[in-house]
Amino acid sequence: MALPSHHSLPSSSVDSGHARLNELGYKQELKRDLSVLSNFAFSFSIISVITGITTLYNTGLRFGGPVAIVYGWVVTGCFTMIVGLSMAEICSSYPTSGGLYYWSAKLAGPNWAPFASWITGWYNIVGQWAVTTSVNYSLAELIQVMILLSTGGKNGGGYEGSKYVVIGIHGGLLLVHAIINSLSISWLSFFGQLAAGWNILGVFVLMILIPSVATEKANAEFVFTHFNTENTDGVNGRLYIFLLGLLMSQYTLTGYDASAHMSEETRSADINGPRGIISSIGISIIVGWGYILGITFAVTDIPYLLDEGNDAGGYAIAEVFYQAFKSRYGSGVGGIICLGVVAVAIFFCAMSSVTSNSRMAYAFSRDGAMPLSSLWHKVNGQEVPLNAVWLSAFISFCMALTSLGSEVAFEAMVSIATIGLYIAYAIPIFLRVTLARRSFKAGPFNLGNYGVVVGWTAVLWVAFISVLFSLPVAYPVTRETLNYTPVAVGGLFILTVSYWILSARHWFKGPITNIDR
């Protein structure tokens, strides 16, 4: 899979990623101090299988149950790897912090470069902000559930915080994330590796501990063959139910573009950036499947776990953890501690997400695409884009404020987290297999003759999940049950295209080199 690079290799004394960045027209402004392990750690921490599976396990149980969860993860994982391979190939050729939008500009050709990079960049950065919002808000909700269980549970007079309490926790967490991301890259590298280790260790501890402690366990037949067709959402048809069950897996397996956005801080990024993308997806698939199996073996009563009247208020995995320890020891404290393990993993996920957000904002503003661009691409004495860090945290807080007015509006806002990002993933891949099919020059990592086939498969998968995420998830369809994802994603498209037509097309020329500045 590794073929010779299209550019001559630099001397051993010059980092290959640094040299390639100079060839692309950019000077080194960020500190290039990340190893391949650190690069992998950022993407792996953002994917964070504990985060996605825990927060969306309810969806998997409701739509298909064990069959959709167990086999849906494998199906989604395989196609996600195909998307990742295509991205890794392009990343090897263009290892810059701009990532996707820079790739689109280079692959679209001079005539289409500005528009392609504009659309890709805005879908990418808004999708990243939505990811941070979604992950951090999920952590705030989990903390609220932990408080509820610690004070007696819903059936024991436990404290159930309001939406204002949750948004307050969300804001406090973002403040901590921004402070951590204001530290030097060496500190972020340390936290990133700690996060990766915590996610892996946490999965293995929980997947073994929870089913071992539970007094009632599911058998293998239930875990591998039970298909739940009963839901209170009026959704019928086994295929439809199974497809909706894929949402849990696909939401989880996203965010690995972080490896590309950390390219200008990664040693030998033309090689290690692609490695970070592929390894983070591959290890997440394996570790995540183990977590799914371990937790599902502790599931015996799906309707009860989804019932908002249970001690955890309908938070399925929290109820599984709590009841596992309560049934054996008479107290659910052990389950709450296990939820703490999950909470720390989600915290690291949100922290790494802010890191990726800030690097994308830094690169996008470096090319003049954002309002007040000169402010966001500044770096401080520690070579950290400090303003971009705090901008990312602030916008993520503002996006979460929609939850105070309308849950429907909030869900529409965070739906961009997956579909927005995957559209941004697909655009450069589509350009690579169409306009740039013959002109694309591969880097040290490439797919050889399989690049076009893999690329088309990736594009078709993204088109498929874009439709899937837009399907109704409850019937009859009303104003309250309508899936507003197409509205949110389409609205973003209308805004970005309108801004382009009315203004940006006159001044945005795509990525601007700064090697001579």
Side-chain angles (χ1 to χ4, degrees):
M1 193 172 289
L3 300 177
S5 170
H6 68 285
H7 56 276
S8 60
L9 292 174
S11 65
S12 59
S13 61
V14 180
D15 180 271
S16 60
H18 186 156
R20 181 57 181 151
L21 184 68
N22 290 163
E23 288 180 28
L24 295 173
Y26 290 106
K27 57 187 176 183
Q28 186 73 43
E29 295 181 307
L30 302 177
K31 188 176 183 181
R32 193 176 290 274
D33 199 36
L34 296 181
S35 64
V36 63
L37 177 61
S38 297
N39 184 284
F40 150 80
F42 280 108
S43 282
F44 183 74
S45 300
I46 292 176
I47 294 175
S48 184
V49 293
I50 292 183
T51 298
I53 294 172
T54 299
T55 56
L56 281 175
Y57 196 71
N58 281 49
T59 300
L61 284 181
R62 181 174 286 109
F63 300 116
V67 166
I69 293 171
V70 172
Y71 299 109
W73 182 264
V74 176
V75 171
T76 303
C78 290
F79 282 104
T80 299
M81 178 59 81
I82 289 174
V83 176
L85 284 168
S86 291
M87 289 173 60
E89 181 182 50
I90 303 173
C91 178
S92 182
S93 186
Y94 308 118
T96 75
S97 292
L100 308 170
Y101 87 90
Y102 182 89
W103 304 348
S104 290
K106 298 297 287 186
L107 296 167
N111 293 331
W112 288 100
F115 180 70
S117 62
W118 177 263
I119 292 295
T120 306
W122 279 109
Y123 265 105
N124 192 8
I125 197 167
V126 174
Q128 286 190 349
W129 285 330
V131 166
T132 301
T133 303
S134 177
V135 171
N136 213 62
Y137 193 84
S138 297
L139 176 54
E141 289 185 316
L142 179 59
I143 291 174
Q144 146 58 25
V145 171
M146 292 171 64
I147 294 172
L148 172 64
L149 293 173
S150 299
T151 53
K154 192 163 186 175
N155 297 314
Y159 174 75
E160 194 167 7
S162 67
K163 58 185 178 182
Y164 297 99
V165 172
V166 174
I167 200 71
I169 297 173
H170 171 75
L173 291 168
L174 278 172
L175 179 63
V176 176
H177 295 318
I179 292 172
I180 292 175
N181 274 278
S182 299
L183 301 174
S184 68
I185 190 62
S186 57
W187 276 104
L188 289 179
S189 175
F190 166 75
F191 282 120
Q193 293 183 46
L194 178 62
W198 186 276
N199 271 272
I200 293 176
L201 183 61
V203 163
F204 281 107
V205 169
L206 295 175
M207 66 181 279
I208 295 172
L209 181 61
I210 298 302
S212 299
V213 170
T215 55
E216 295 184 17
K217 302 179 182 65
N219 55 33
E221 182 182 2
F222 176 85
V223 172
F224 292 103
T225 66
H226 179 70
F227 190 87
N228 179 39
T229 58
E230 298 179 9
N231 57 75
T232 59
D233 302 296
V235 178
N236 300 308
R238 296 176 73 89
L239 178 60
Y240 193 7
I241 291 172
F242 179 80
L243 291 177
L244 291 181
L246 296 179
L247 297 177
M248 180 202 80
S249 301
Q250 193 60 80
Y251 171 85
T252 302
L253 295 171
T254 191
Y256 42 87
D257 57 310
S259 288
H261 296 302
M262 303 307 294
S263 289
E264 293 181 35
E265 294 162 273
T266 301
R267 295 189 291 271
S268 302
D270 52 343
I271 300 172
N272 291 333
R275 286 176 176 171
I277 293 172
I278 295 168
S279 60
S280 63
I281 296 172
I283 295 175
S284 292
I285 293 171
I286 297 170
V287 172
W289 204 58
Y291 184 57
I292 285 172
L293 290 178
I295 300 307
T296 307
F297 267 106
V299 171
T300 56
D301 189 343
I302 294 176
Y304 174 73
L305 293 178
L306 298 175
D307 186 358
E308 293 184 2
N310 64 35
D311 280 320
Y315 200 121
I317 282 189
E319 185 68 18
V320 169
F321 288 9
Y322 186 73
Q323 290 299 332
F325 280 86
K326 190 173 183 180
S327 62
R328 182 169 295 275
Y329 302 110
S331 170
V333 172
I336 298 171
I337 293 173
C338 288
L339 288 176
V341 173
V342 174
V344 172
I346 300 177
F347 177 87
F348 282 136
C349 175
M351 178 203 74
S352 297
S353 184
V354 172
T355 307
S356 182
N357 290 179
S358 63
R359 271 51 180 184
M360 172 59 193
Y362 158 80
F364 208 31
S365 60
R366 179 175 59 185
D367 293 321
M370 296 176 61
L372 303 176
S373 285
S374 60
L375 185 62
W376 312 128
H377 83 265
K378 287 183 178 178
V379 296
N380 65 7
Q382 294 181 308
E383 300 177 6
V384 173
L386 193 63
N387 294 341
V389 167
W390 287 88
L391 172 70
S392 298
F394 176 73
I395 290 180
S396 295
F397 178 73
C398 291
M399 291 178 78
L401 290 177
T402 56
S403 66
L404 299 178
S406 169
E407 191 66 29
V408 171
F410 176 70
E411 290 176 359
M413 183 78 71
V414 299
S415 68
I416 302 175
T418 300
I419 295 304
L421 274 185
Y422 267 95
I423 289 175
Y425 293 175
I427 293 174
I429 297 174
F430 176 74
L431 294 171
R432 182 260 182 270
V433 298
T434 53
L435 295 180
R437 179 172 180 173
R438 298 187 183 279
S439 60
F440 175 71
K441 296 180 180 179
F445 174 91
N446 68 80
L447 304 175
N449 295 328
Y450 297 101
V452 173
V453 174
V454 172
W456 272 116
T457 305
V459 170
L460 292 174
W461 175 252
V462 173
F464 169 73
I465 63 171
S466 296
V467 174
L468 178 61
F469 270 77
S470 301
L471 294 174
V473 294
Y475 289 89
V477 178
T478 66
R479 187 172 65 179
E480 286 73 29
T481 62
L482 177 67
N483 185 345
Y484 285 89
T485 297
V487 178
V489 176
L492 177 59
F493 180 78
I494 292 172
L495 285 174
T496 52
V497 171
S498 298
Y499 190 17
W500 172 260
I501 293 173
L502 296 175
S503 177
R505 65 190 177 95
H506 298 297
W507 49 264
F508 182 70
K509 305 304 179 184
I512 303 170
T513 59
N514 68 357
I515 196 73
D516 298 321
R517 282 192 265 167

